[in-house]
């Protein structure tokens, strides 16, 4: 938690960005794994945390935009709680610690909101993603469950996005810390990987580092020798000679800031010639993105510059044919990279995705494309100093997708289908991801050190793994 003045100032700024009514903040509660007393690891809602700094479960808050009044709702512990958890601060003390002078039991929240609604006041709420909060909104406001995203306050959403998207210096320092933990996770896996290991062994070590140095992994770890499956969470494979391991993982710091890295390493510690050829294209694309990302350019433009480089690389290998600009304009390269170059990152690894990707990564000027591949770009608008984004180009050979395009005659003039079928259907995929901060004149890598990025660097670090 930061100093209470940080949260006071954030709330004061927020009050100037939304017109009238009340702002309703719903924190998260614990969620049972298989019975009430056995819960998943608890994590506070990011927006509640951003404005109120309290990470306890079962809290809510109100900001009255006319009076400026701020209230925390939550319950003090009883003797049963004290027996199991020890003495806990009063809700009033917790509220005071973040500069809020009023607090009430949680049951008072529904009465407060119902009274405001009866007075004809606008109750602004954010799109809920937890069922408990959906039930609360239905009870308090009568919002149908299938209308909750549609009836969420666009004014409130845009105000939150405008503040959380541009990172404060204190936040950047916390993201740097999360990136250092992520570095340790990945570097350890790179040094440990040996033929015959089970993928799960690497995942366990990596997630252990995340928990021992921070709060937890920032998302479920992706580690697989089937890199053509973009988010493969199965970890039962045996590290096998000739295979590539795609490792996409990050850490969440104790202050709830995230990192997100991907590296692709050879199971044996040595790349084949064909693997090097594809890897070098992806590595060059990753570096290009960092060389051109800066204020005054959209991330869509960065994505397209990377796409042209990748298209030319695939042309050089005979996989694509034609002019790279025409290939990118047609979206033919997207059969090999069906996702966007990156996304915003902060207190959420996909920052504020709960509020709606188009509010976070796009705006009234820059709209999301409908083209396959480019339409999956989560961050497309103009870059500004303080943006934190991922840079994660990839090339994947997905037989089912290639066969679909071949059957439907999609971009056949650009794609060498016979070569793909003959030589690449068992290749897998490669993704290389770094986290970058947009600065006044360009960008910089987040974290103290960069993970090995070239084939030479990776092979050197893995050289002793077979001993």
């Amino acid at each position: 938690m930061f100093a209470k003045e940080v949260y006071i100032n954030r709330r004061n700024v927020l009050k100037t960005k939304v017109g009238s009514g009340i702002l309703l903040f719903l924190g998260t509660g614990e969620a049972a794994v298989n019975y009430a007393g056995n819960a998943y690891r608890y994590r506070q809602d990011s927006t509640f945390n951003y404005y109120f700094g309290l990470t306890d479960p079962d809290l809510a808050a109100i900001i009255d935009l006319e009076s400026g009044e701020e209230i925390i709702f939550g319950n003090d512990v009883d003797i049963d709680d004290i027996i199991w958890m020890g003495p806990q601060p009063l809700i009033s003390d917790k509220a005071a610690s973040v500069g809020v002078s009023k607090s009430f039991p949680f049951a008072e929240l529904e009465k407060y909101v119902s009274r405001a609604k009866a007075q004809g006041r606008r109750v602004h709420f954010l799109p809920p993603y937890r069922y408990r909060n959906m039930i609360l909104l239905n009870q308090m406001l009568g919002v149908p469950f299938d209308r909750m995203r549609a009836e969420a306050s666009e004014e409130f959403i845009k105000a939150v996005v405008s503040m959380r998207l541009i990172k404060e210096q204190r936040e950047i320092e916390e993201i740097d810390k999360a990136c250092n933990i992520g570095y340790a996770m990945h570097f350890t896996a790179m040094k440990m990987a040996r033929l015959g290991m089970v993928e799960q062994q690497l995942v366990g070590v990596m997630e252990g580092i995340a928990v021992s140095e921070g709060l937890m992994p920032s998302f479920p770890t992706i580690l697989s020798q089937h890199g053509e499956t973009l988010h493969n969470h199965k970890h039962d494979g045996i590290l096998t000679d000739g295979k590539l391991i795609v490792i996409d993982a990050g850490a969440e710091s104790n202050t709830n800031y995230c990192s997100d890295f991907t590296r692709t390493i050879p199971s044996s510690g040595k790349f084949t010639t064909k693997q090097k050829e594809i890897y070098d294209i992806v590595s060059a694309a990753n570096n290009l993105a960092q060389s051109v990302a800066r204020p005054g350019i959209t991330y869509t433009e960065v994505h397209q510059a990377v796409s042209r480089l990748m298209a030319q690389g695939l042309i050089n290998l005979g996989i694509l044919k034609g002019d790279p600009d025409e290939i990118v304009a047609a979206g033919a390269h997207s059969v090999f990279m069906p996702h966007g170059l990156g996304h915003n990152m902060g207190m959420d690894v996909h920052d504020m995705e709960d509020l709606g990707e188009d509010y976070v990564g796009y705006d009234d000027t820059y709209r999301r494309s409908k083209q396959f591949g480019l339409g999956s770009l989560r961050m497309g608008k103009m870059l500004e100093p303080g943006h934190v984004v991922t840079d994660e180009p990839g090339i994947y050979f997905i037989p089912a997708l290639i066969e679909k395009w071949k059957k439907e005659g999609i971009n056949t003039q650009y794609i060498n289908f016979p070569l793909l079928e003959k030589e690449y259907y068992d290749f897998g995929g490669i993704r290389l991801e770094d986290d970058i901060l947009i600065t006044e004149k360009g960008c910089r890598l987040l974290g103290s050190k960069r993970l090995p990025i070239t084939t030479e660097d990776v092979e050197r670090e893995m050289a002793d793994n077979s001993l």
Side-chain angles (χ1 to χ4, degrees), residues 203-223:
V203 174
V205 171
M206 293 179 73
E207 295 194 346
I209 292 170
V211 173
S212 65
E213 296 190 24
L215 183 68
M216 59 183 176
S218 50
F219 58 96
T221 297
I222 299 160
L223 190 152

Side-chain angles (χ1 to χ4, degrees), residues 388-401:
V388 169
V389 294
T390 62
D391 164 20
E392 49 181 308
I395 292 177
Y396 317 86
F397 297 92
I398 308 169
L401 178 60

Side-chain angles (χ1 to χ4, degrees), residues 180-212:
N180 288 340
I181 302 171
Y183 177 97
M185 294 166 66
H186 278 267
F187 193 72
T188 300
M190 190 177 292
K191 300 295 282 187
M192 283 186 60
R194 288 172 175 78
L195 295 178
M197 288 183 72
V198 181
E199 294 166 349
Q200 181 179 350
Q201 293 174 271
L202 293 177
V203 174
V205 171
M206 293 179 73
E207 295 194 346
I209 292 170
V211 173
S212 65

Side-chain angles (χ1 to χ4, degrees), residues 232-260:
N232 196 333
H233 295 291
K234 291 179 66 176
H235 306 133
D236 57 355
I238 306 297
L239 299 197
T240 303
D241 193 15
K243 293 287 189 178
L244 293 169
I245 316 169
V246 173
I247 308 176
D248 189 340
E252 182 168 329
S253 72
N254 287 322
T255 52
N256 299 118
Y257 286 88
C258 298
S259 63
D260 184 4

Side-chain angles (χ1 to χ4, degrees), residues 1-4 6-7 49 52-55 94 97-98 254-256:
M1 188 169 74
F2 300 124
K4 71 177 180 180
V6 171
Y7 304 103
N49 191 350
F52 292 93
L54 299 175
T55 58
K94 293 178 181 179
S97 72
V98 292
N254 287 322
T255 52
N256 299 118

Side-chain angles (χ1 to χ4, degrees), residues 350-368:
H350 286 189
D351 213 20
M352 296 174 282
E353 192 168 302
D354 59 309
L355 303 182
E357 276 185 5
D358 286 351
Y359 288 115
V360 181
Y362 295 88
D363 54 28
D364 293 338
T365 303
Y366 302 99
R367 301 287 188 173
R368 185 188 290 265

